[in-house]
């Protein structure tokens, strides 16, 4: 039986085994998918050992940059993101590195019926999550993308890869006083029950998306956006299933339907 796993540290809470096991059943694929806890100082040794039997890995925090360095062949979107969330171990011994996070995000945006074309997009946060989605947002031909981060140097680093975007700090954003059509929360603040420090009037009539997800489909960010007049909001569970479907496709050559898995996962949270 072909073996796959999600590798990270920590990894206990990962929903990927649930998602991929459902995909495998739906697509009649003879495979198993587990969790692999990777020591912080031994990414290479852990992957080398898994590869002796395994066919592919999903890679999560904090190893996506190391997975990027590990791959022999990078897809264009992995190259642009500077990070890899999917490794495929090919029969000829080569390793393909892909990044399906951005495409998974856009899959979910389309599922929601949202459209970024011609829109002014505000992205909050400049960590790995933001870097993973910027290229895919730009592919949707928005009018503008402004990336805001507490630490301006990290936003400027992302701008080096994506010259079309503008970057500023939260103070800079306040001073500009601009309005946006879409606000994406790519900070980790929802984990602490906090919301980004932007003016609450900015949420009026926007589409607000949190890359984090919550049990009920809401997060502190989506609740805050909604109570300040957002038009529609979403948490990031659909993105999680969307990126998984694209990894599955790279490994198995079939494209599973994310919709029933998203429904089952939501009920299971
Ligand atoms: P991820 O891989 O999930 O993106 P990360 O790389 O640790 O995780 O990035 C977390 C993001 O949340 C960063 O943009 C971080 O801002 P800094 O780059 O300034 O650290 C943002 N973040 C975390 N705590 C924050 C806080 N209290 N206020 C504002 N931004 C915060």
């Amino acid at each position: 039986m072909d073996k796959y796993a999600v590798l990270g540290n920590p990894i206990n809470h990962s929903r990927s085994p649930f998602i991929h096991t459902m995909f495998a059943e739906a697509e009649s694929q003879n495979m198993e998918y587990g969790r692999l806890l990777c020591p912080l100082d031994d990414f290479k040794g852990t992957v080398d050992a898994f590869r002796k039997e395994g066919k592919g890995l999903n890679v999560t925090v904090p190893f996506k940059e190391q997975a990027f360095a590990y791959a022999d062949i990078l897809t264009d979107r992995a190259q642009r993101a500077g990070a890899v969330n999917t490794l495929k171990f090919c029969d000829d011994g080569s390793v393909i590195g892909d990044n399906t996070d951005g495409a998974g995000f856009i899959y979910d945006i389309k599922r929601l019926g949202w459209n970024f074309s011609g829109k002014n997009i505000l992205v909050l946060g400049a960590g790995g999550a933001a870097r993973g989605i910027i290229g895919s947002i730009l592919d949707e031909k928005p009018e503008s993308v402004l990336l805001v981060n507490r630490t301006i140097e990290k936003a400027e680093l992302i701008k080096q890869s994506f010259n079309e975007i503008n970057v500023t700090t939260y103070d800079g954003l306040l001073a500009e006083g601009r309005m946006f059509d879409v606000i994406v929360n790519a900070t980790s603040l929802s984990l602490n029950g906090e919301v980004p420090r932007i003016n609450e009037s900015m949420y009026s009539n926007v589409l607000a998306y949190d890359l984090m997800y919550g049990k009920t489909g809401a997060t502190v960010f989506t609740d805050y956006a909604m109570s300040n007049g957002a038009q529609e909001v979403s948490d990031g569970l659909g993105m999680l299933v969307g990126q998984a479907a694209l990894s599955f496709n790279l490994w198995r050559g079939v494209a599973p339907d994310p919709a029933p898995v998203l429904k089952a996962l939501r009920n299971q949270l």
Side-chain angles (χ1 to χ4, degrees):
M1 193 183 286
D2 293 344
K3 281 181 74 173
Y4 299 85
V6 57
L7 173 152
N9 188 338
I11 203 60
N12 254 344
H13 292 97
S14 173
R15 305 285 172 181
S16 292
F18 177 88
I19 297 169
H20 284 281
T21 303
M22 270 196 81
F23 286 159
E25 276 166 21
E27 297 295 332
S28 306
Q29 299 289 306
N30 188 23
M31 57 183 274
E32 61 180 31
Y33 186 108
R35 290 185 179 86
L36 188 56
L37 177 67
C38 181
L40 290 173
D41 60 356
D42 196 19
F43 176 79
K44 186 174 181 307
T46 306
V47 177
D48 283 347
F50 181 81
R51 254 175 90 178
K52 294 198 174 105
E53 298 177 68
K55 295 271 188 186
L57 283 171
N58 280 132
V59 178
T60 187
V61 179
F63 298 112
K64 289 184 186 182
E65 284 78 18
Q66 289 184 62
F68 178 87
Y70 189 96
D72 307 313
I73 304 160
L74 292 163
T75 61
D76 286 349
R77 57 196 185 189
Q79 189 85 54
R80 269 197 313 177
V84 155
N85 77 337
T86 310
L87 290 171
K88 178 178 179 173
F89 307 124
C90 306
D91 292 339
D92 67 1
S94 63
V95 181
I96 298 175
D98 194 4
N99 190 319
T100 63
D101 287 333
F105 173 62
I106 297 299
Y107 155 79
D108 204 38
I109 292 306
K110 295 195 168 155
R111 177 187 69 86
L112 292 162
W114 299 4
N115 180 1
F116 285 177
S117 166
K119 299 289 166 56
N120 293 298
I121 319 261
L122 174 62
V123 178
L124 305 171
R131 179 176 276 280
I133 61 168
I134 294 288
S136 300
I137 293 177
L138 289 170
D139 287 345
E140 297 299 301
K141 308 264 177 289
E143 174 68 22
S144 68
V145 176
L146 180 63
L147 184 65
V148 171
N149 202 42
R150 178 178 58 176
T151 315
I152 189 67
E153 291 79 11
K154 279 168 74 179
E156 277 162 356
L157 264 181
I158 295 184
K159 185 173 165 59
Q160 282 179 14
S161 311
F162 303 100
N163 194 36
E164 307 94 304
I165 67 171
N166 290 306
V167 299
T168 189
T169 57
Y170 288 94
D171 285 344
L173 178 68
L174 203 62
E176 274 190 45
R178 271 179 68 190
M179 292 298 279
F180 296 85
D181 304 300
V182 179
I183 303 180
V184 180
N185 183 20
T187 72
S188 49
L189 281 166
S190 291
L191 288 176
N192 310 330
E194 293 174 44
V195 293
R197 289 208 188 89
I198 68 170
N199 196 320
E200 66 236 27
S201 65
M202 293 185 74
Y203 291 106
S204 176
N205 277 321
V206 299
L207 304 172
Y209 193 101
D210 196 344
L211 300 188
M212 302 271 161
Y213 57 86
K215 256 190 190 353
T216 58
T219 67
V220 280
F221 171 77
T222 62
D223 280 346
Y224 190 73
M226 210 60 199
S227 66
N228 285 294
Q231 190 186 331
E232 281 182 55
V233 299
S234 179
D235 78 346
L237 197 67
M239 171 181 170
L240 179 72
V241 180
Q243 61 80 28
L246 294 161
S247 298
F248 195 92
N249 187 217
L250 177 76
W251 294 325
R252 309 300 298 182
V254 290
D257 181 5
V261 179
L262 175 57
K263 206 169 157 208
L265 182 59
R266 181 69 77 194
N267 289 333
Q268 210 245 359
L269 283 186

